[in-house]
Amino acid sequence: MLVSIRNKYRHLPKQVKASLWFLICAFFEKSISIIATPIFTRIMSTSEYGQFNVLYSWLTIVTIIVSLNLCYGVYTQGLIKFSHDRRRYSAALQGLTVVLVLAWTLVYLGFRDFWNSVFSLTTTQMLAMLLMVWTSSVFNFWAGERRVALQYKSLAMVTLLVAIAKPLVGVLLVVYANDKVTARFLGLALVELVGYTGLFFVQMYRGKTFFSRYFWRHALMFNIPLAPHYLSQIVLSSADRIMIANMVNTKSAGIYSLAYSLSQIMILFNVALSQTLSPWIYQKIKDRRVADIAGVAYGALVLIAVVNLLLIAFAPEIVPPIAMSVFFIFAFDLFAKFEFYYERTSLIMIASVIGAVLNVALNYWLIPILGYEVAGYTTLICYVMYAVVHYWFMNRICREKLGTLPYDRKILGLITLTFLAVGFLFLGGYHSVVLRYLLILITAVVGFSKRDYLMTIVNQMLRVRKPI
C-alpha cells in the first residue's frame, strides 16, 4: 500500500504537490503550536503566559506599523505585475523593509523610556520584537516567491524545521531563565534569526538591488493606505474577546476564545487555498481572462462551505456563527483580489474600517442585553457586510477596467444562502440530539452522492496553477 501511495504521489502534477505541501506546512505549524501550549502553561505561571500572549499581540500590531505588511498585499500582486523583473523587485522590497525597521529602531532608541511605558515592555523585549518584524518579513518575502514558482520543497523544509525548533529552543530557555516571558520571546527571535537570515541574502544576491525608487514608491503608495485595513482586521478578530472580558467576565471571555480558536482552524484551509489561487487569479486579471476565474472561484467557495459545515456539525453550540464567518472571509478575499491588482487600496481601507467600527458598536450595544454569545453573531454580521461591500467595490472596478463582471450574482447567492441555511439548521438542531444527527446523516448521504462533483472541485483547485 505504501509503495502504491508513493507511486501515485510521484505522478502527481507539480501544482498538486505544491498545494498539498502548502496545506501540510500550515497544519503542521498550527499543530506544533497546539501541542506546545500545555508544555509552556506548565513551566510558566498563568500570569507569565498571559504576559507572553500580550507581548505577541503587540508584535502583530507593531509589525503592521513598522513593516507596513509589505510582504503581503503588494508583494504577491507585484510578483505577477513585475514578473519580468521579479528578482530585482523582491530584493528591492527586502531593502525597503530593512530601512523601515532600522528607522523605527532609531525612533525607539531615541525615546525608549517613553515607548517602554506605552507598551509596558522592557528594552530587551522591544528590540526582540523589532528583530522579529524583520525576520518574519524576510521569510514571507522568500516564501511568497517560492509559492508563485511552486518551489515547495525548500519552503516545506524551512517551514517544518523552524516550526520544530521554536518550541524546543523556547522550552530550554524558559526552564533555565528567571524572566520566563522574555526568555520565551527571545527563543522565537533567536530561531527566526538563525532560520531566516540566510533567505535575505539569497534574495539580495539574486536580485542585486537594495534601492529602487520605482519599486519603493510603488510599494509605499500601495501599502500605506492598507495599514488601517490590517489594523481593522485585528480589531475584527480581537475586539469581541476584549469586550467580553471587560463587559462580562474573564471566564466568559475564555469560553468564547476557545470557541473562536476552534473555528479559526478553518482559516488554515482559507490560507492554503488562497495562497494557491492568488498568483493564478492575478495572472488571469493581468491577461484580461477573468471569465476563467468564475468556475474555480465557485468551486473554492463550495469546498470552503463544506469544510466549515463539517466543523459546525460536531462543534459546540457557540462555534457555528463564528465558523460561518470564515466562509465570508474567504469570499472577501476572492473579491478583494481585483482591488489589490488595480491598486484601489483606499476602497479596501474603507470597507475594513467600516467592518471594524460596526463590530465594536454592535458588541457594545448587544453584549449587555443578550450576553456574550451574541458576539459570534455580530462577528458573522460584520463579515457578511464586509464581503458584500467588497463585492460591490469589485463590480465597480471591473466595469471600469474590464467592461465585464467576473462572477454571476445568482450563483454566488445560491452558494451563500445554501451554506447559511444548512449552517443554521445545524444550529437549530443543537437542542435535539436526534435532529442533529439526522441532519449529519442527511448531509453525509448528500455528500457521498455528490462525491464525484466534490472531487472534481478539489482537483480543479489543485490543478489551476502552473509556475508563473
Side-chain angles (χ1 to χ4, degrees), residues 96-160:
L96 176 56
T97 303
V98 168
V99 170
L100 290 173
V101 173
L102 288 177
W104 278 103
T105 301
L106 291 175
V107 170
Y108 165 71
L109 291 174
F111 307 93
R112 64 180 182 178
D113 291 336
F114 168 76
W115 292 115
N116 288 350
S117 64
V118 168
F119 291 99
S120 298
L121 302 175
T122 67
T123 299
T124 301
Q125 291 169 343
M126 286 295 297
L127 290 175
M129 186 182 298
L130 289 166
L131 175 63
M132 288 181 67
V133 170
W134 177 67
T135 53
S136 61
S137 296
V138 166
F139 172 74
N140 285 318
F141 280 127
W142 178 80
E145 191 177 34
R146 298 302 92 189
R147 291 190 184 99
V148 169
L150 296 182
Q151 296 176 346
Y152 60 90
K153 291 182 181 179
S154 55
L155 176 57
M157 183 177 67
V158 172
T159 301
L160 299 180

Side-chain angles (χ1 to χ4, degrees), residues 245-305:
N246 290 329
M247 299 173 69
V248 186
N249 54 55
T250 54
K251 180 181 178 180
S252 297
I255 296 171
Y256 183 84
S257 295
L258 178 59
Y260 197 94
S261 298
L262 288 172
S263 68
Q264 292 304 289
I265 294 173
M266 296 300 103
I267 289 289
L268 295 177
F269 285 95
N270 279 18
V271 172
L273 196 52
S274 178
Q275 288 175 345
T276 300
L277 294 178
S278 290
W280 179 81
I281 292 176
Y282 283 136
Q283 188 66 50
K284 290 297 181 182
I285 299 173
K286 181 180 180 180
D287 296 339
R288 301 181 69 86
R289 296 177 58 187
V290 294
D292 297 346
I293 298 174
V296 173
Y298 300 149
L301 285 169
V302 170
L303 184 60
I304 292 294

Side-chain angles (χ1 to χ4, degrees), residues 64 85 337 416 463:
I64 295 170
D85 207 6
K337 289 287 187 289
T416 302
R463 293 176 186 277

Side-chain angles (χ1 to χ4, degrees), residues 395-407:
N395 284 348
R396 174 179 159 185
I397 292 168
C398 289
R399 287 192 184 98
E400 176 187 333
K401 297 292 185 179
L402 300 169
T404 185
L405 300 181
Y407 307 121

